[in-house]
Amino acid sequence: MLPKMMQRLAQPVLDAKPTRRRFLLGAAAAGTGLAVGFHLPGKRAAANSGVAPAAAGQPFAAYLTIGADGKVTILSSQFEMGQGAYNGIATLVAEELGADWNTIEVQGAAGNVKLYGNLAFGGAFQGTGGSTSMASSWERYRLAGAAAREMLVAAAAAEWKVKPEEIRVAKGILSHPSGKSSGFGPFAAKAATLPVPEKVALKAPKDWQFIGKSDLKRFDSARKANGTERYTIDVKLPGMLTAVMIHPPYFGAKVKSFDATAAKAVKGVVDVVSTPRGVAVVAQHMWAALKGRDAVTVTWDESGAEKRGSDAIIASYKDIAGKAPQAVARKDGDTEKAFASAAKVLEATYEFPYLAHAALEPLNAVARMNADGTLEIWGGHQFPDVYQAIAAGIAGTTPDKVHLHVMKSGGSFGRRAVFDADVIAEAVAVAKAIGFKAPVKVQWTRENDMQGGRYRPAYVHKVKAGLDKDGKLIAWADHIVGQSIMKGTMFEKGMVVGGVDPTSVEGANNLPYAIPNQTIGLTTTEVGVPILWWRSVGSTHTSYVGEAFLDEVAAAAGKDPVAFRLSMLEPTSRHAVTLKLAAEKAAWDQPLPAGRFRGVALAESFGTVVAEIAEISVDPRGGVKVERVVAAVDCGTAINPDQVKAQVEGGVGFGLGAIMDEAITLANGQVEQSNYDAYRPLRIDAMPKVEVHIVPSTNPPSGIGEPGVPPIGPAVANAIFKALGKRIHVLPLSKGLSA
Amino acid sequence: MVKLNVNGVDHQIEADADMPLLWAIRDIIGLTGTKFGCGMAQCGACTVHVDGEPTRACQTFIGDLDGRKITTVEGLAGKVAATVQKVWADLDVPQCGYCQSGQVMAATALLTANKKPTDADIDAAMSGNLCRCATYHRIRAGIHEAAKRLEA
């Protein structure tokens, strides 16, 4: 549901209104090919010019260019962090353009919100998140491809003196029944001089060649298998230095003073500087920086430090959860009256820990100030406009002088979508602190990354359900307690309404079930631990509560978990259809072999409905192994079904790791985990077999990067109840099973 | 000065003997396919072969490698490696891809030693290689598929 809310947010906060005028794309100076772009809202073709991507060092100013060599370069508004956004967008362009897949390249674009604003967020903000990449790109990139095709055809028709409608375009070849044919290259320059069609027709779904099929493989797979894919960590510039950060030992502490005498004696250490976020050791290479770091002594100002432990934080949340909520996110019917009349009332309190994103590539960024006053930054630019503005502020320049090179990142899961630019701000600050005398790469260590905050917030839910004498669920109350992700950020003004941060309650205040009386309450806490969205955001905890507690309710009512859910869903709804598909594929109505147990969960997030059925076994010592997961997903049009499956498979593994064994804990304000030995994401030996079934749909695409995550936790917890008769209210399971 | 043989090429590295192989490969020799993920042999992103054995470069020190043959993903060669890499692309195994050169190094070593690994063999050999995108389902499928193609 985030995208819908984002629309509300984007306009007032960022104030970049779409204009009706034609949008002119840069200078035509280079004139080597065709470039296509549209103004917002992306409905109508606008203009073109022959601008080449590298023209005069300007930001990319279009959605695609076709070179004289016929090569198609797509400029992606969406950041690639592994989720396959580049492939999805390339598929949309290829479908309409008739391009040869092997000649397509995708590059990240940034720095022009009018071109690259996320349409699912209202268009006034460029960002990748909320599983919106395909929703934002669905029309924009198909229109770009279609317009480019029409212009190429017009150019060829004029040259060949034939009717444009007689020209066919497929696999990068323009051809005419007379036998004339050509690649795109020879007509690219001519096409660029033609007017952009006022209106382009998109293919009817029945004519799709690629969309809805799995034929187009990711073009980065081979590069990723042979080590040639480049990430920010691989950026090497002439004279570049590498910096390692020493961050404060507590959130909220600051540098008071430091002694770098010994560090500066380490071979390869160039400088040791203070920045607003910590001390940086700048060196010729990473190893020298690490050795230098170990030789620095820092004295910290701890006056503003958060020194509570996570146990104390959770204990205070539990206390708050028993009181009336600060705000009400949803109120249907009369919950109090319904509870009073209920034949049976169930209650439970759930505890969720902080979670780290722990992407494999620790955060990093490279900053270089050029002689002409432009500042270049290489990084995982998930919120590019924000980073451009913050970098400009630190460097003392204007955002238009900041050029972002959008690198692919080794995972993110939300971590690189930050309000304060984080490591990007550090790279600029360190470069500035050494007088911009050399390009600087700031490379976090795993310890920096894991102890750097921006966690999935810890939450407590106190939940209550009431059944009538027939076992019908008549009342539901959920009081959510935890920090607000948006409070204190640029999103607060547009998004936090009536004290309710939508990311705290999403998944809880839109339960799909017909429950006549429900109250979803929220109390937002103030804790000095920095937090952030983490793959599937609010639904990481709300869906666990909703679906695990609903399973308790079904058991109390003596009903089958699938049948109980279906009894509260409109039979033709997406939720019911998806749940029924999962149940059918998992043979829910058939008995399991001895020693196997299963649980079900259903969740909607980011416009996509996913049902998952987890099958587990339990070893004699009570160890739980998830053997198999059957998922059904309705994500609207599946642009590439195999990539949809890949995201759900990965989402299951990502979510399962968190539920099983991940937790960030603090002892007296200090994070106790620093590396993968103590913070333990899923490994291959705990990965179940995963089957993904896609509900056929003609709706526009909704999200797929995140929605595979929410149902896995409750599905496994519900299977554990079947196996062990135990309800898991404290996460992770490694803790909850022994609680 | 430390001598290193990487991908069949001798290098004279101007660094102390306690420098981890990872940083010598990446920052001194300039081969970036070997990735930094944890620095303490927990994630496997830096997996290289030392005399054919999968080894964590972040916890291997250059002073200990005299006379040893180091292979990085850039120098990976032979039928097994080529098959693994081809299968990885055919099955679209990678997502973010950051761990995948390490996964490919580990999978190649596994299939070199064991022509027909079971799921349990795969789990045992590959559990030191973290994939935060959890592409494990396809890594397993990829290793089985590579074994099948190599048998043919």
Side-chain angles (χ1 to χ4, degrees):
Chain A
M1 60 185 304
L2 195 58
K4 259 183 256 164
M5 299 182 302
M6 284 289 199
Q7 291 172 4
R8 182 150 56 78
L9 131 89
Q11 221 57 4
V13 175
L14 292 144
D15 193 39
K17 293 187 182 72
T19 60
R20 288 287 161 201
R21 70 183 169 80
R22 289 188 161 202
F23 195 80
L24 294 166
L25 305 175
T32 54
L34 169 66
V36 176
F38 300 88
H39 71 73
L40 287 169
K43 298 283 187 215
R44 205 178 306 161
N48 82 102
S49 80
V51 71
Q58 292 185 358
F60 297 131
Y63 301 127
L64 70 96
T65 63
I66 300 172
D69 56 358
K71 199 173 127 183
V72 178
T73 303
I74 296 167
L75 304 155
S76 173
S77 64
Q78 303 308 111
F79 170 58
E80 176 62 61
M81 51 193 138
Q83 82 280 37
Y86 280 12
N87 247 61
I89 286 172
T91 302
L92 300 179
V93 170
E95 181 70 66
E96 294 293 339
L97 179 59
D100 174 2
W101 188 246
N102 297 314
T103 65
I104 293 179
E105 197 200 335
V106 185
Q107 295 174 359
N112 190 333
V113 75
K114 288 181 179 166
L115 282 170
Y116 305 124
N118 186 322
L119 298 178
F121 295 170
F125 171 74
Q126 186 182 358
T128 303
S131 297
T132 57
S133 288
M134 291 306 107
S136 174
S137 306
W138 179 236
E139 285 210 331
R140 173 184 276 169
Y141 282 94
R142 283 189 299 151
L143 286 168
R149 183 196 64 232
E150 285 197 18
M151 293 158 81
L152 288 166
V153 165
E159 169 101 7
W160 294 343
K161 300 190 174 37
V162 300
K163 289 180 184 159
E165 55 272 27
E166 292 170 2
I167 294 177
R168 266 178 45 87
V169 189
K171 290 188 180 167
I173 303 290
L174 300 148
S175 60
H176 185 263
S178 63
K180 289 189 163 68
S181 82
S182 168
F184 291 171
F187 291 108
K190 175 74 189 297
T193 66
L194 301 176
V196 170
E198 276 294 323
K199 217 174 162 182
V200 288
L202 295 176
K203 280 186 182 175
K206 67 174 172 54
D207 298 325
W208 284 338
Q209 191 189 350
F210 302 127
I211 294 170
K213 300 188 176 69
S214 300
D215 301 342
L216 300 182
K217 294 288 168 195
R218 288 180 68 135
F219 37 90
D220 54 0
S221 289
R223 291 202 295 268
K224 286 171 174 174
N226 67 23
T228 56
E229 184 69 280
R230 285 173 85 250
Y231 305 84
T232 304
I233 196 173
D234 305 322
V235 172
K236 194 159 192 178
L237 304 172
M240 187 185 80
L241 300 171
T242 299
V244 167
M245 298 300 299
I246 305 172
H247 289 142
Y250 299 98
F251 296 117
K254 289 184 169 60
V255 179
K256 190 188 270 174
S257 64
F258 67 96
D259 179 355
T261 318
K264 283 184 174 168
V266 171
K267 199 164 66 184
V269 171
V270 174
D271 212 340
V272 181
V273 295
S274 189
T275 79
R277 298 168 50 104
V279 174
V281 180
V282 189
Q284 298 290 351
H285 50 71
M286 186 73 177
W287 179 238
L290 289 169
K291 275 191 141 176
R293 175 201 62 184
D294 293 345
V296 179
T297 322
V298 188
T299 309
W300 302 99
D301 169 5
E302 296 173 7
S303 55
E306 172 62 78
K307 290 197 171 178
R308 271 183 288 175
S310 42
D311 284 349
I313 292 167
I314 292 285
S316 74
Y317 286 11
K318 283 160 82 174
D319 189 42
I320 294 165
K323 298 173 184 157
Q326 199 181 57
V328 174
R330 175 173 182 172
K331 191 162 170 52
D332 291 8
D334 189 334
T335 315
E336 287 312 309
K337 200 171 148 194
F339 277 124
S341 74
K344 199 181 258 184
V345 174
L346 286 80
E347 274 187 272
T349 302
Y350 289 83
E351 300 173 27
F352 298 88
Y354 289 103
L355 295 175
H357 301 76
L360 253 285
E361 183 183 18
L363 290 190
N364 45 19
V366 180
R368 175 170 74 185
M369 180 65 87
N370 298 309
D372 65 0
T374 55
L375 174 65
E376 290 179 272
I377 304 173
W378 288 257
H381 300 308
Q382 203 168 344
F383 277 179
D385 320 322
V386 175
Y387 304 165
Q388 217 177 7
I390 290 174
I394 295 168
T397 184
T398 48
D400 61 303
K401 294 275 195 293
V402 179
H403 179 49
L404 302 179
H405 297 271
V406 185
M407 303 300 293
K408 292 175 194 172
S409 73
S412 169
F413 316 109
R415 185 62 182 85
R416 287 187 188 257
V418 282
F419 303 105
D420 64 352
D422 227 336
V423 71
I424 289 148
E426 286 180 358
V428 180
V430 175
K432 185 184 176 187
I434 61 164
F436 292 117
K437 69 183 178 193
V440 172
K441 178 196 289 174
V442 169
Q443 177 61 55
W444 283 19
T445 61
R446 174 56 51 201
E447 291 77 12
N448 287 143
D449 197 281
M450 197 162 284
Q451 303 196 318
R454 305 284 168 221
Y455 305 125
R456 193 289 302 271
Y459 287 99
V460 165
H461 285 240
K462 190 171 169 63
V463 64
K464 194 170 154 184
L467 293 161
D468 70 10
K469 60 177 178 17
D470 303 320
K472 190 170 170 289
L473 179 56
I474 55 166
W476 180 274
D478 187 355
H479 182 189
I480 303 166
V481 181
Q483 289 165 264
S484 158
I485 295 169
M486 289 183 166
K487 198 171 175 182
T489 74
M490 64 186 193
F491 288 160
E492 180 175 355
K493 191 177 155 201
M495 297 293 292
V496 180
V497 178
V500 177
D501 178 334
T503 67
S504 299
V505 299
E506 61 184 356
N509 70 342
N510 57 330
L511 288 174
Y513 308 109
I515 307 168
N517 306 288
Q518 44 178 315
T519 306
I520 309 300
L522 174 70
T523 300
T524 296
T525 57
E526 297 291 338
V527 179
V529 179
I531 51 162
L532 192 62
W533 17 59
W534 185 101
R535 194 176 185 178
S536 80
V537 197
S539 296
T540 58
H541 55 103
T542 58
S543 290
Y544 184 91
V545 172
E547 289 296 296
F549 193 56
L550 195 68
D551 207 72
E552 296 195 28
V553 175
K559 307 257 176 72
D560 171 79
V562 170
F564 187 63
R565 283 170 173 79
L566 288 173
S567 75
M568 295 185 288
L569 294 169
E570 178 63 41
T572 57
S573 67
R574 295 170 71 209
H575 298 88
V577 169
T578 307
L579 178 58
K580 280 188 275 194
L581 179 62
E584 178 201 318
K585 296 293 181 184
W588 180 263
D589 57 357
Q590 302 296 314
L592 284 167
R596 292 288 180 106
F597 307 89
R598 65 190 160 200
V600 63
L602 172 70
E604 178 189 342
S605 59
F606 311 103
T608 291
V609 180
V610 182
E612 288 171 10
I613 293 172
E615 199 176 301
I616 69 165
S617 63
V618 180
D619 68 34
R621 288 172 302 155
V624 169
K625 182 159 200 293
V626 183
E627 303 280 355
R628 174 177 179 238
V629 174
V630 176
V633 49
D634 178 349
C635 60
T637 299
I639 293 168
N640 182 324
D642 189 55
Q643 288 304 308
V644 167
K645 289 177 183 180
Q647 285 308 299
V648 176
E649 290 160 14
V652 163
F654 188 88
L656 182 59
I659 293 296
M660 297 293 280
D661 212 13
E662 288 176 37
I664 287 287
T665 56
L666 297 97
N668 301 317
Q670 289 189 303
V671 178
E672 295 186 288
Q673 297 73 24
S674 63
N675 211 309
Y676 293 125
D677 52 342
Y679 190 87
R680 295 180 290 270
L682 197 83
R683 290 179 183 268
I684 195 169
D685 52 358
M687 182 73 188
K689 294 188 164 57
V690 184
E691 270 175 46
V692 183
H693 303 278
I694 298 170
V695 176
S697 172
T698 53
N699 290 328
S702 49
I704 201 58
E706 297 168 274
V709 176
I712 188 62
V716 170
N718 296 340
I720 288 173
F721 173 71
K722 285 282 182 195
L724 303 173
K726 193 169 169 60
R727 293 293 183 183
I728 310 292
H729 294 159
V730 177
L731 292 169
L733 292 171
S734 53
K735 186 179 177 191
L737 271 172
S738 55
Chain B
M1 197 72 89
V2 178
K3 213 170 82 186
L4 276 187
N5 182 287
V6 179
N7 300 333
V9 180
D10 282 327
H11 296 268
Q12 299 293 330
I13 308 290
E14 247 188 275
D16 294 336
D18 68 345
M19 182 188 234
L21 176 62
L22 171 64
W23 300 116
I25 291 170
R26 288 188 55 85
D27 289 358
I28 312 291
I29 298 173
L31 297 171
T32 56
T34 307
K35 300 301 189 212
F36 164 59
C38 71
M40 54 183 287
Q42 290 290 322
C43 76
C46 68
T47 305
V48 296
H49 293 175
V50 176
D51 293 336
E53 285 297 311
T55 304
R56 309 294 181 231
C58 73
Q59 286 293 315
T60 304
F61 306 99
I62 57 174
D64 299 334
L65 294 166
D66 194 14
R68 316 292 292 274
K69 293 212 172 301
I70 297 143
T71 308
T72 69
V73 69
E74 290 89 350
L76 203 54
K79 202 175 159 195
V80 177
T83 305
V84 168
Q85 287 172 323
K86 178 73 169 58
V87 166
W88 248 237
D90 289 350
L91 267 59
D92 274 345
V93 171
Q95 288 185 23
C96 90
Y98 192 79
C99 72
Q100 296 293 347
S101 41
Q103 304 282 359
V104 165
M105 296 304 286
T108 300
L110 168 64
L111 284 165
T112 303
N114 181 347
K115 300 259 174 285
K116 213 172 175 185
T118 62
D119 278 353
D121 295 337
I122 293 170
D123 288 357
M126 305 294 292
S127 63
N129 289 75
L130 265 181
C131 173
R132 188 59 168 144
C133 305
T135 61
Y136 302 124
H137 184 78
R138 291 185 187 214
I139 289 174
R140 241 186 239 143
I143 292 173
H144 287 308
E145 174 64 20
K148 209 170 95 189
R149 290 189 196 179
L150 285 162
E151 198 181 27

